Amino acid sequence: MEQNSKRIFAILICLCLFFIYKTTILDPYLKSKIQPQIPQSQTGQIEPASQGTQPVSATVTSSATANPTVGQTSAEAPTTKHLAPTDGEIAQVGFIRIETDDLIVTISKLGARVTSVKFKNYKETVQKNSADYEAVLHIEGQAYPLGISQGATDDRYVQYLASETEGFKISGSAEKNIAFTGNLPDGRSITKTLTFFGLGYGFNCKVQTSAPDSARNRTTLEWTKAITQASNSLLDPYDITTFNWFDGQKAFHKKVNEIEGQVFSPGNVRWVSISNKYFVSTILNLASEPTESNVAVDNHIHSLKLKGGETEGNFKLWIGPKNYSILSSAGSELQRNIDFGKVAFLSAPLLWLLNAFYKLVGNYGLAIILLTILVKLASFPLNTASFKQMKAMQDIQPEVKRLRETVKDARAQQTQLMELYRSRGVNPLGGCFPMLLQFPIFIGLYSALLLGIELRHAPFALWIQDLSAPEKLHLAGVGVPVMVLLMIASMLIQQWTMPSNMEPAQKKAMLIMPFIFGFMFASFPAGVTLYWLVSNILAITQQQGLRLHTPQVAMRWSLIASFAIIVAATIFIKIS
């Protein structure tokens, strides 16, 4: 047992050292090699590209700009082989603006492409004067999303006539069409009819051409997005861009950095999406049967394609937040865009509970506290069983030590140890097994807190105004992670007072673990840190109650501590 403890201790230390090396050195290095950040640029638009030539530079654009329709020039992109109108050419032809209860959509008359989709209920940053979140990310010189093609023929240079000259605003249950009509380069006419709804994050796109092309290629809708950073980190495995698709039976998820420079075909699907941690863009074919699709990553341009018929296509675009209830209410199994991994069976109900508590108290920080209390009280029987076994192991350590000193034969020593454990009703693994049973619950709750868009920009109290970001109290220009420091202190207290059969030297060496956890949690979202801190406080309370009294007293102390934490949190919220 002693040798096993030493091995476990050595493995833990090695894992922690590897974690520090990976997060501080290896991950940043690989990210710089695999997904290089596009350098900042001071250039503006590029000159229109002529047929057969390649533009020599490009710029990344988004909506966080003084020009709300085309976007801000924020970075230079690598040379690209795709030809498309410049932002200047697009702006000369003009735009149509549509506003609903949830979206502000800007469409160019040149190509009838979507140049901006802003979410009215979500902001770019936590700042009060922040702009609305922009879902369209664009590189100058690349085509905007909502392109229609049939084989080699597409509508990027088609100068459409729109049925609405300026746009419109609708609300509630209202819906309205806007038709764009024009001629493709081969002379065939094309009509692109968009249907907007007053409420929700979707709009329909119906396409009709006057005839099929010469090769009878199918009508294809493409949605593109420019992303310059697509790799995730060990600290946040959900902060990654993925392609998702649903074949009518099962949802699939693939990291975009796994198919760089490739075209990947998911086969026949109901829908295909591209999503980051919090938001998703989905193309659905409104036909009754699954249809052919493909996804691709080429020079930072991530594209989705879905096919319709030879002269028509009937599609739906859903561009919005990865909120489970919103996606579920949209239908078509869109909630399957959210991938909790193997612990989804725990994460989904825990996230539902978190939202239920939020509806009750109106603050996600307090909701996390209530959820943590619920989980901790529910796991109290397991904690009690674990504590009793660890305490029993600690009590018989003098006898174990004497036996090891007097019995030198390894086999006889092991036999007598087993007999001692049996006579005292002690299971050497009894202290670990109940804790292992709780581990999936922690992982499920961790996933729910890390992935839930509900915590994005959600305030708690005092200096903690974004539960999805690391917390820091700024004192004299220095950011101090107060909750992380409190968490380290709570872990030290918990570790020092927990019954253990480790040798004193090993126990002291294990005290490094709270500091390693503190290093990790300094980069974790404040919501996760809050959960861990409250969980530690309740664990210490239960531990002391069990050590000094009975399980009934320990439960009573837990309830008192829970009430005190809720009162303190409520006071902090009120004075914020």
Side-chain angles (χ1 to χ4, degrees):
M1 292 299 294
E2 181 181 356
Q3 287 297 110
N4 288 339
S5 298
K6 289 180 179 178
R7 289 194 189 101
I8 293 171
F9 173 71
I11 291 170
L12 285 173
I13 293 297
C14 290
L15 286 174
C16 292
L17 290 175
F18 173 75
F19 175 83
I20 294 173
Y21 163 74
K22 186 177 188 302
T23 54
T24 58
I25 298 175
L26 185 61
D27 278 352
Y29 172 77
L30 292 177
K31 185 176 286 189
S32 67
K33 293 295 182 184
I34 298 173
Q35 291 289 342
Q37 179 66 50
I38 295 177
Q40 292 297 313
S41 169
Q42 296 179 351
T43 61
Q45 315 296 334
I46 62 170
E47 293 298 322
S50 58
Q51 186 67 30
T53 64
Q54 293 183 354
V56 296
S57 65
T59 56
V60 175
T61 59
S62 74
S63 70
T65 177
N67 182 349
T69 55
V70 180
Q72 177 186 17
T73 297
S74 60
E76 264 186 33
T79 301
T80 174
K81 64 185 179 182
H82 301 290
L83 304 177
T86 66
D87 285 351
E89 291 176 303
I90 292 171
Q92 287 178 1
V93 180
F95 303 92
I96 301 293
R97 183 181 186 275
I98 295 96
E99 181 175 354
T100 72
D101 288 343
D102 299 300
L103 299 173
I104 300 175
V105 182
T106 305
I107 303 168
S108 64
K109 294 180 182 178
L110 183 61
R113 305 295 180 95
V114 174
T115 60
S116 173
V117 176
K118 293 183 178 180
F119 301 151
K120 296 169 67 174
N121 301 318
Y122 296 89
K123 302 297 181 182
E124 291 279 1
T125 69
V126 74
Q127 303 301 322
K128 291 183 179 179
N129 59 348
S130 174
D132 293 336
Y133 182 85
E134 174 60 63
V136 174
L137 299 177
H138 175 66
I139 290 181
E140 172 79 5
Q142 294 280 358
Y144 277 99
L146 205 70
I148 299 297
S149 64
Q150 290 176 339
T153 303
D154 67 44
D155 69 342
R156 68 184 67 189
Y157 274 104
V158 173
Q159 194 158 325
Y160 283 97
L161 293 176
S163 59
E164 296 281 340
T165 56
E166 299 295 332
F168 51 82
K169 180 176 181 179
I170 57 174
S171 182
S173 60
E175 62 179 74
K176 190 169 183 179
N177 296 334
I178 177 169
F180 294 87
T181 57
N183 293 308
L184 293 166
D186 58 11
R188 292 177 297 132
S189 64
I190 180 172
T191 301
K192 188 187 290 187
T193 304
L194 306 181
T195 303
F196 289 90
F197 306 92
L199 191 63
Y201 291 89
F203 62 92
N204 293 350
C205 176
K206 185 175 183 178
V207 181
Q208 185 76 41
T209 58
S210 57
D213 72 348
S214 57
R216 306 193 74 85
N217 289 295
R218 294 168 64 185
T219 303
T220 302
L221 175 66
E222 181 179 29
W223 187 268
T224 59
K225 193 168 188 177
I227 304 172
T228 59
Q229 291 286 352
S231 57
N232 65 324
S233 71
L234 186 62
L235 288 175
D236 190 349
Y238 299 107
D239 192 11
I240 180 69
T241 303
T242 61
F243 289 123
N244 318 310
W245 61 91
F246 179 61
D247 63 6
Q249 300 293 327
K250 185 179 178 181
F252 301 86
H253 308 270
K254 193 175 185 68
K255 297 176 183 178
V256 299
N257 55 13
E258 295 177 358
I259 60 170
E260 178 69 38
Q262 304 176 39
V263 175
F264 174 78
S265 178
N268 290 340
V269 301
R270 286 290 193 185
W271 50 255
V272 61
S273 306
I274 184 169
S275 69
N276 58 22
K277 182 178 180 180
Y278 292 127
F279 300 99
V280 61
S281 301
T282 303
I283 308 176
L284 304 93
N285 192 321
L286 296 179
S288 57
E289 296 297 326
T291 186
E292 186 180 345
S293 66
N294 66 56
V295 299
V297 181
D298 186 10
N299 216 4
H300 300 291
I301 303 301
H302 302 66
S303 65
L304 313 172
K305 289 185 179 181
L306 202 59
K307 293 189 176 182
E310 292 180 357
T311 61
E312 78 292 321
N314 199 6
F315 307 99
K316 182 179 181 68
L317 284 299
W318 199 95
I319 307 156
K322 288 170 71 174
N323 179 295
Y324 194 90
S325 60
I326 293 176
L327 286 166
S328 298
S329 63
S332 302
E333 299 289 328
L334 288 182
Q335 72 274 13
R336 292 176 183 249
N337 276 292
I338 301 176
D339 180 22
F340 287 113
K342 297 185 183 302
V343 292
F345 69 100
L346 288 171
S347 297
L350 287 170
L351 187 58
W352 181 88
L353 275 173
L354 180 68
N355 285 316
F357 282 131
Y358 173 75
K359 290 176 182 177
L360 182 66
V361 298
N363 181 284
Y364 271 110
L366 194 52
I368 290 172
I369 291 172
L370 292 174
L371 183 59
T372 308
I373 290 171
L374 177 64
V375 170
K376 208 63 184 168
L377 294 179
S379 61
F380 179 78
L382 290 175
N383 293 332
T384 301
S386 177
F387 183 89
K388 285 181 176 179
Q389 287 295 322
M390 287 190 291
K391 184 70 168 62
M393 282 294 294
Q394 186 183 48
D395 291 341
I396 67 171
Q397 279 310 295
E399 295 179 65
V400 171
K401 186 177 180 181
R402 282 196 301 271
L403 192 151
R404 284 176 175 162
E405 290 173 349
T406 55
V407 181
K408 299 302 182 182
D409 181 72
R411 180 173 294 181
Q413 183 186 101
Q414 189 67 23
T415 301
Q416 291 189 41
L417 276 174
M418 291 298 103
E419 182 59 34
L420 174 63
Y421 293 147
R422 195 162 33 249
S423 65
R424 297 299 182 86
V426 175
N427 182 349
L429 300 178
C432 299
F433 187 65
M435 297 175 68
L436 290 175
L437 289 177
Q438 297 178 61
F439 191 69
I441 299 175
F442 163 71
I443 296 298
L445 186 56
Y446 169 81
S447 300
L449 294 177
L450 207 59
L451 187 57
I453 191 175
E454 291 84 352
L455 299 188
R456 182 181 184 269
H457 299 170
F460 173 35
L462 303 175
W463 68 93
I464 306 169
Q465 294 301 308
D466 185 358
L467 286 166
S468 69
E471 61 89 19
K472 285 183 175 63
L473 174 61
H474 291 276
L475 299 170
V478 179
V480 180
V482 177
M483 271 208 309
V484 174
L485 295 177
L486 292 174
M487 188 203 74
I488 293 173
S490 68
M491 288 185 70
L492 288 169
I493 295 171
Q494 184 182 8
Q495 200 172 92
W496 193 258
T497 58
M498 181 183 292
S500 173
N501 62 340
M502 286 192 296
E503 295 178 357
Q506 285 180 298
K507 192 170 182 179
K508 288 179 181 178
M510 284 296 289
L511 292 176
I512 194 177
M513 296 301 294
F515 296 98
I516 294 175
F517 270 79
F519 171 81
M520 294 163 48
F521 272 77
S523 300
F524 276 8
V528 177
T529 307
L530 177 62
Y531 157 74
W532 196 274
L533 175 60
V534 173
S535 182
N536 283 352
I537 293 172
L538 293 177
I540 293 168
T541 305
Q542 291 178 3
Q543 225 169 262
Q544 292 302 99
L546 291 169
R547 187 171 69 88
L548 300 173
H549 299 284
T550 63
Q552 291 75 15
V553 172
M555 173 58 82
R556 194 177 308 128
W557 285 14
S558 294
L559 294 173
I560 294 171
S562 300
F563 180 75
I565 292 170
I566 293 170
V567 171
T570 304
I571 293 172
F572 291 149
I573 293 168
K574 293 294 183 183
I575 64 177
S576 296

